[in-house]
Amino acid sequence: MAGTSEKAAASASPRLAWIGLGNMGRGMVKNLAEKGTFSGPVAIYNRTTARSEKIVDSLPAGKGKVATSIADAVKDADIVFLCVANDAAVEESIDAALESPNSQGKLYVDCSTIHPDTSNRIGKQITEAGSEFVACPVFGAPAMADAGQLIAVLAGPTAQVDRVRPFCKGVMAKAEINFSDQEYGKATKLKIIGNTFVLGMVEALSAGHTLAEKCGLGVENLHQFVEVMFPGPYTAYSTRMMSGDYWKREEPLFTAKLARKDAGHALSLANSCGAKLKAVEVADEHLKAVVEHAGDRGDISSIYGAVRKESGLKYEN
């Protein structure tokens, strides 16, 4: 009976760990720690320890603690969240977690953007090792992560998804898309396809702004149309293009390199089932040009600079 009571307590108020403090992870874990219900503090790990220390210092007392390794982060946790850069980083993190002492019986929740095959593979690896897994990629920009306004997509066994949901809507997210009892890769398939919509939006705005400048309409006049017709993300990206944020920014909001990773996953997914994504192929070529021009400072919005160059304008507006 004592074991049953302990499991019930862990389910109601679990101990948490967080791995990864990139542009998205920083806001997500801050909301998790400040608004979630759990047995504290959240163990927070990042390869650069200074980032963990900065986040912990920003949290209310007792809400977070710095973990010095993945093993240190997960050892006492019931639920382990990950939000890291790419498939390799996810796989390395899971390998390290499962090799650590006391690694069984935990729930791993991956919020990263990875290939659906990777989601299914690590899900199998985790369950075979005696733990549980939920795929939980998120839609939204870093500002939405900071504000707890993301959209979470959850896939995995219903019982495990239900353990994650209290940390999504109202905590890290404003809404959920629930794929309970569907394979893990369904969540990341939606995330990959959804990101092609973002690529298409940035491509359309880049072409529109470039043409407006070249033909004499003027980008300010085009922006008025965008504001009225497409409020929200379109207007936000249009503003970033007009202001030059796409090339002035020191730290990208969504790096061109990561956007290329996502485009590659979309093209791989399409190839696996005989579909064609010509628009994504074009966007990937522009992202390649962005990386060549700006390196790590290149942002997804910098596609505008690549399109400008193709049309005989300077990369920087």
Side-chain angles (χ1 to χ4, degrees):
M1 293 296 292
T4 302
S5 299
E6 289 171 3
K7 288 182 179 179
S11 179
S13 187
R15 297 165 297 178
L16 306 181
W18 186 277
I19 298 170
L21 295 174
N23 282 350
M24 298 295 288
R26 292 195 293 270
M28 292 172 73
V29 72
K30 197 167 190 303
N31 280 293
L32 183 75
E34 291 179 347
K35 296 186 287 187
T37 300
F38 54 89
S39 297
V42 181
I44 301 173
Y45 171 76
N46 189 70
R47 285 183 298 179
T48 305
T49 305
R51 282 195 175 184
S52 302
E53 293 170 342
K54 186 175 181 180
I55 286 289
V56 169
D57 288 345
S58 74
L59 296 174
K63 289 292 187 178
K65 66 177 182 179
V66 175
T68 56
S69 66
I70 289 178
D72 183 35
V74 306
K75 65 181 180 181
D76 295 322
D78 301 304
I79 304 177
V80 180
F81 291 86
L82 300 90
C83 187
V84 295
N86 52 40
D87 299 52
V90 172
E91 291 174 323
E92 289 169 8
S93 299
I94 293 299
D95 285 345
L98 295 181
E99 289 171 1
S100 65
N102 191 31
S103 64
Q104 293 186 329
K106 303 181 186 299
L107 170 58
Y108 292 89
V109 183
D110 182 35
C111 302
S112 316
T113 301
I114 58 177
H115 195 285
D117 290 349
T118 307
S119 291
N120 289 331
R121 184 167 59 252
I122 63 172
K124 185 173 185 290
Q125 176 188 5
I126 288 167
T127 55
E128 288 180 347
S131 289
E132 300 290 346
F133 179 64
V134 168
C136 184
V138 295
F139 286 104
M144 294 173 69
D146 293 342
Q149 293 293 296
L150 298 170
I151 298 170
V153 188
L154 300 108
T158 296
Q160 306 309 324
V161 168
D162 287 347
R163 293 174 65 191
V164 181
R165 292 184 64 202
F167 303 105
C168 293
K169 188 175 181 180
V171 178
M172 297 188 295
K174 65 178 180 180
E176 301 165 5
I177 299 174
N178 193 331
F179 291 167
S180 287
D181 284 336
Q182 298 189 49
E183 68 174 20
Y184 311 115
K186 288 289 183 70
T188 36
K189 281 179 180 176
L190 179 62
K191 172 59 175 171
I192 293 300
I193 294 172
N195 276 8
T196 68
F197 287 33
V198 178
L199 282 171
M201 173 181 64
V202 176
E203 276 286 334
L205 285 167
S206 297
H209 272 277
T210 299
L211 180 57
E213 181 173 342
K214 293 278 289 188
C215 77
L217 170 64
V219 295
E220 293 84 1
N221 288 337
L222 177 66
H223 184 71
Q224 289 188 60
F225 162 76
V226 173
E227 283 185 306
V228 174
M229 193 73 178
F230 304 110
Y234 275 85
T235 297
Y237 272 102
S238 180
T239 300
R240 293 185 64 197
M241 292 174 186
M242 286 181 58
S243 68
D245 178 81
Y246 73 94
W247 65 268
K248 295 176 181 176
R249 174 176 291 275
E250 288 293 330
E251 184 177 6
L253 293 178
F254 184 1
T255 72
K257 289 182 177 179
L258 287 181
R260 285 207 75 195
K261 179 260 295 180
D262 293 353
H265 284 340
L267 292 170
S268 171
L269 183 62
N271 184 62
S272 70
C273 59
K276 297 295 182 184
L277 294 177
K278 295 293 186 182
V280 177
E281 292 175 10
V282 171
D284 188 49
E285 284 299 315
H286 287 147
L287 288 167
K288 180 181 178 182
V290 168
V291 173
E292 290 171 353
H293 182 92
D296 290 337
R297 288 184 60 189
D299 184 88
I300 189 173
S301 63
S302 306
I303 285 176
Y304 180 38
V307 173
R308 287 172 57 85
K309 284 186 69 175
E310 283 184 342
S311 298
L313 298 172
K314 286 183 60 179
Y315 179 95
E316 298 83 3
N317 63 354

